[in-house]
Amino acid sequence: MATTLTEENYLKAIYHISHTYGDVVSTNAIAEKVDAKASSVTDMLKKLADKQLLDYIKYKGASLTEKGRKTAIDIIRKHRLWEVFLVEKLKFSWDEVHEVAEQLEHIKSPKLTKELDAFLGFPKHDPHGDPIPNADGYIHRTNKIMLSHAEVGKTYTCVGVIDSSSEFLKYLDKHHIGIGTKLVVVEKEAFDQSMLIKIASKTVAMSKAITTNIYIKEQ
């Protein structure tokens, strides 16, 4: 049974939320993620349960079935491949691609996805550092921490972001921070957890709101 664009957005949202809060995702958490009323979310969860894409538990929330999980991962795979295409081939900046990929991810053509993956050289990560599921749905995850957990004096590499909003990515561009950028923690303020970060020959002050949205790995 075919899924609608809205149904696919719900499945993707539930998948992402489950990685933070566990397999059973509350109705309120879903409502916040998709910006909908709780009553509307409940109606959609019942529809998705009828399609065997999730298990709906009244007053608790929902968990994806294996079928629902595979559908969600397929959507995420297409989204991230399209982001790579937009940046590498059409020269979009990384802060422009999310909304466009949100539209392209719903194209239902396995052949197109397969050929797109091959055309791009089977990329492992999207422009924001998020892993791209392979054709079998496997997601290779690397060891990474938030910049806020970094130690003073150590050198790290930026490997991803949590906040992929245009505003945040433009902030990073302003300070020449992107995937692969080398960072050295110069100072960490105990009072508010703000940091001084050295990037090449420049030192940048960053608030906790910034450092908790950047993923790094140690050199």
Side-chain angles (χ1 to χ4, degrees):
M1 190 179 298
T3 51
T4 67
L5 183 151
T6 302
E7 289 172 343
E8 291 180 351
N9 285 338
Y10 267 78
L11 293 173
K12 186 174 67 169
I14 294 168
Y15 177 86
H16 286 309
I17 298 169
S18 69
H19 280 271
T20 302
Y21 298 104
D23 290 339
V24 179
V25 179
S26 73
T27 302
N28 288 338
I30 299 168
E32 183 177 351
K33 184 74 171 179
V34 302
D35 191 23
K37 295 180 180 179
S39 57
S40 298
V41 172
T42 298
D43 290 341
M44 178 57 72
L45 296 182
K46 290 177 180 177
K47 290 180 182 178
L48 293 171
D50 288 341
K51 292 186 176 183
Q52 299 182 330
L53 293 166
L54 56 77
D55 293 318
Y56 173 61
I57 307 168
K58 194 173 182 179
Y59 304 123
K60 289 188 177 182
S63 61
L64 294 175
T65 61
E66 185 59 26
K67 179 182 176 182
R69 181 180 174 277
K70 287 180 178 179
T71 302
I73 290 175
D74 182 59
I75 299 163
I76 292 166
R77 168 174 162 78
K78 289 185 288 184
H79 181 102
R80 294 176 181 175
L81 284 172
W82 281 119
E83 286 193 336
V84 175
F85 175 79
L86 291 166
V87 169
E88 291 189 358
K89 305 302 179 181
L90 299 187
K91 306 306 177 185
F92 279 61
S93 61
W94 69 337
D95 61 276
E96 296 177 312
V97 298
H98 182 72
E99 290 187 2
V100 181
E102 284 277 309
Q103 300 172 54
L104 294 169
E105 71 186 21
H106 299 289
I107 298 174
K108 293 177 172 63
S109 172
K111 182 178 180 180
L112 176 59
T113 304
K114 179 181 178 181
E115 294 300 330
L116 178 64
D117 193 17
F119 177 67
L120 296 171
F122 307 101
K124 297 293 188 293
H125 297 87
D126 73 10
H128 309 116
D130 293 315
I132 299 174
N134 67 16
D136 297 320
Y138 173 74
I139 302 177
H140 176 72
R141 302 188 184 279
T142 57
N143 292 324
K144 58 187 178 182
I145 60 171
M146 288 189 294
L147 178 55
S148 57
H149 295 159
E151 297 180 32
V152 174
K154 288 190 175 182
T155 301
Y156 300 88
T157 301
C158 175
V159 295
V161 295
I162 298 173
D163 184 351
S164 59
S165 67
S166 177
E167 293 80 6
F168 183 65
L169 297 179
K170 285 178 179 178
Y171 169 86
L172 296 183
D173 282 339
K174 179 181 177 181
H175 294 291
H176 307 290
I177 301 171
I179 306 304
T181 300
K182 300 293 187 297
L183 311 168
V184 179
V185 181
V186 177
E187 185 179 324
K188 188 172 184 178
E189 180 59 55
F191 173 67
D192 61 1
Q193 300 300 301
S194 60
M195 291 181 167
L196 284 179
I197 306 295
K198 186 176 182 181
I199 305 164
S201 59
K202 181 182 178 182
T203 301
V204 179
M206 291 187 181
S207 68
K208 186 177 180 180
I210 300 299
T211 62
T212 53
N213 273 296
I214 298 174
Y215 279 129
I216 57 172
K217 68 177 181 180
E218 191 174 346
Q219 285 288 94

